Amino acid sequence: SAPQSFADTEKFGSGHLSLRRSSEFTPDEPSPFLQELVHKFSLLNAVALATLRNDVDGAPSPLTGFNPGSPWPAVDPVKIPNAEKEYSNGACSEFFLYILGIDRTTLARTQYNASRPLGVYGGVSDAEIKQLQAARGPWAKVNLCSMWLNEFVVREHLAGSLGKVGPPIISRLFQFLSDGMSGYNQARKI
């Protein structure tokens, strides 16, 4: 049967869980609960940023797995391959195009964004990708990730994985999540 909480489970990058005793964890290894919580937060963050970047519909997903300790992708435009810099028209003309709001075509912006993938701690499982692809529109994708995070916290709180955390602390967590979603919705209006 499925475990009641993350206290005795191990999360793998593919989204599968396996039973494991709490005593088998080393002090340097974060608990599976914390790993899953960080995964859900990083997934929500990556999906929100991806929807704010306005990639072309049907473009490859900018979500990738992030392995702690690995180097971040290059952000210096000089280090980006030439194929991804095709939008560049020179410094002066680029400035005027930017002022007029026509600095990049939709395709050029998507290529530029593709060179900057958004890392998700623990990777993105096939089930998560399938459900995100089925969601209609950017708001639905972000709200789906937010719902996963809220549901995870509620389930783990009820199972006792959070320890003796009082209801006011849990309600404050939901308030911060709500404030973040409100900020995202304000950013979508721009």
Side-chain angles (χ1 to χ4, degrees), residues 142-171:
V142 174
N143 283 320
L144 179 64
C145 291
S146 177
M147 188 251 342
W148 286 339
L149 181 59
N150 286 328
E151 184 268 337
F152 173 72
V153 171
V154 168
R155 184 185 61 220
E156 294 303 311
H157 177 66
L158 293 175
S161 296
L162 301 179
K164 295 181 181 184
V165 177
I169 304 295
I170 299 298
S171 68

Side-chain angles (χ1 to χ4, degrees), residues 7 10 12 14-15 20 25 28 31 38 44 51 55 84 86-87 92 106 123 128 131 133 135 142 157 165 178 188-189:
E10 179 178 2
F12 297 105
S14 63
R20 185 171 168 192
F25 293 111
D28 297 335
S31 70
V38 169
L44 176 60
T51 60
D55 287 342
E84 296 160 4
E86 293 176 359
Y87 64 87
C92 188
T106 305
E128 290 169 335
Q131 290 180 353
Q133 289 173 341
V142 174
H157 177 66
V165 177
S178 175
R188 285 292 304 170
K189 293 179 184 179

Side-chain angles (χ1 to χ4, degrees), residues 37-47 63 118-123:
L37 185 66
V38 169
H39 168 73
K40 300 278 190 214
F41 267 114
S42 68
L43 180 64
L44 176 60
N45 183 46
V47 170
L63 306 178
L118 300 165
V120 176
Y121 181 83

Side-chain angles (χ1 to χ4, degrees), residues 46-55 118 137-139 141-142 184 188:
V47 170
L49 289 174
T51 60
L52 290 174
R53 294 192 320 184
N54 290 329
D55 287 342
L118 300 165
W139 282 286
K141 292 177 189 333
V142 174
Y184 167 78
R188 285 292 304 170

